[in-house]
Every structure is written in C-alpha cells, then in structure tokens.
Amino acid sequence: MRKRIYYWTASEHINEPVISDTILNTGVKINILKAKVEPQEAFLILELFGSKETIEKALDYLSKFGEVEEISKVIKRDSEKCVHCGCCITQCPINAIYMDEEYNVVFKEEECVGCKNCMKACPFKAIEIIE
C-alpha cells in the first residue's frame, strides 16, 4: 500500500530525527518527495509504503510531532486551453508532468501530490486542482 501526505512540523521538532524515528519505530518505508525546512517550521511531502496497519501506525506517530494531511487532490488539465507550452513541467517537484516525444504535455494524475505549482505556472490557466 502507498499513501502520500503533507506533513508540517513546528520549530521545536525541526532538529529531531522524526522521520528516521518513524521508520525505525513503525517499520514503514518513507520517500521524501519534497522538503522545505525553515527556522519556524518544516513542510514535507511524504510517500509512505507498507501495510495498511503499518501506515496507520506511522501516521499516528508523525501526528505526535506535527500536522498530517492526506493528499487527495489531483491535477486536471483543460485540453481546450492547454497549448502544450511546457511551463508547468519544470514546476512539478515529482515529475508528474512531462513532454512526450511528440511535444505534448502529459499529466500522470496518479502521481500528482497537489502542490499547485503547475497551476500557478500555467499562463493559460489550463490547469485546475480537483478534490
């Protein structure tokens, strides 16, 4: 099973090994897709792998040190507005958007983490986030 989450942790836990402790204490595998650490807080996009029970245990553990939010948003491209300019491609932190061999922009919706970077970058407003 795989689950993607947003994770925020407050300043008092920034210098603690929360992610590695989560792995060691729960047995879950964690892939850090994006991390932004500042003195006030840290924001991460995490991908958790394991059984349903292991992932739930990991989410409970992470919740002790910060805020967890499941990622349920995906991108949707309006094919009538999109001109395949590629502005969105460089903004995707996990390469869920790419250009194929025919220079068409392709969205892998199942890979999207809902960060909205592509939506902000699109000059034609051809991308929207759906819940």
Side-chain angles (χ1 to χ4, degrees):
M1 181 177 177
R2 175 180 88 167
K3 185 175 287 240
R4 291 184 174 186
I5 62 166
Y6 296 124
Y7 184 63
W8 294 267
T9 185
S11 60
E12 64 264 19
H13 300 297
I14 286 179
N15 293 318
E16 297 176 21
V18 175
I19 302 301
S20 59
D21 284 349
T22 303
I23 294 166
L24 293 171
N25 291 326
T26 67
V28 74
K29 293 180 181 179
I30 298 178
N31 186 16
I32 301 171
L33 300 175
K34 183 177 181 179
K36 183 177 180 182
V37 180
E38 296 178 347
Q40 308 86 351
E41 76 171 359
F43 168 73
L44 296 96
I45 299 176
L46 303 174
E47 186 173 46
L48 285 64
F49 296 92
S51 67
K52 183 177 180 179
E53 181 180 290
T54 304
I55 289 174
E56 290 301 322
K57 189 176 174 183
L59 293 174
D60 288 342
Y61 188 84
L62 287 168
S63 296
K64 295 176 185 177
F65 303 97
E67 183 181 337
V68 174
E69 180 184 332
E70 284 189 44
I71 297 174
S72 58
K73 303 170 186 140
V74 294
I75 54 174
K76 182 180 177 193
R77 180 176 55 96
D78 184 330
S79 58
E80 291 182 19
K81 290 182 183 178
C82 180
V83 298
H84 302 277
C85 67
C87 287
C88 55
I89 294 171
T90 59
Q91 301 303 310
C92 183
I94 59 159
N95 300 318
I97 308 169
Y98 66 95
M99 194 165 281
D100 67 13
E101 58 279 343
E102 295 176 4
Y103 302 102
N104 293 310
V105 172
V106 178
F107 288 75
K108 294 187 284 185
E109 293 178 2
E110 68 282 356
E111 297 294 321
C112 176
V113 295
C115 70
K116 302 181 186 177
N117 290 351
C118 60
M119 186 175 79
K120 294 172 189 170
C122 182
F124 299 96
K125 307 292 184 225
I127 302 169
E128 63 181 30
I129 302 295
I130 54 175
E131 299 289 331

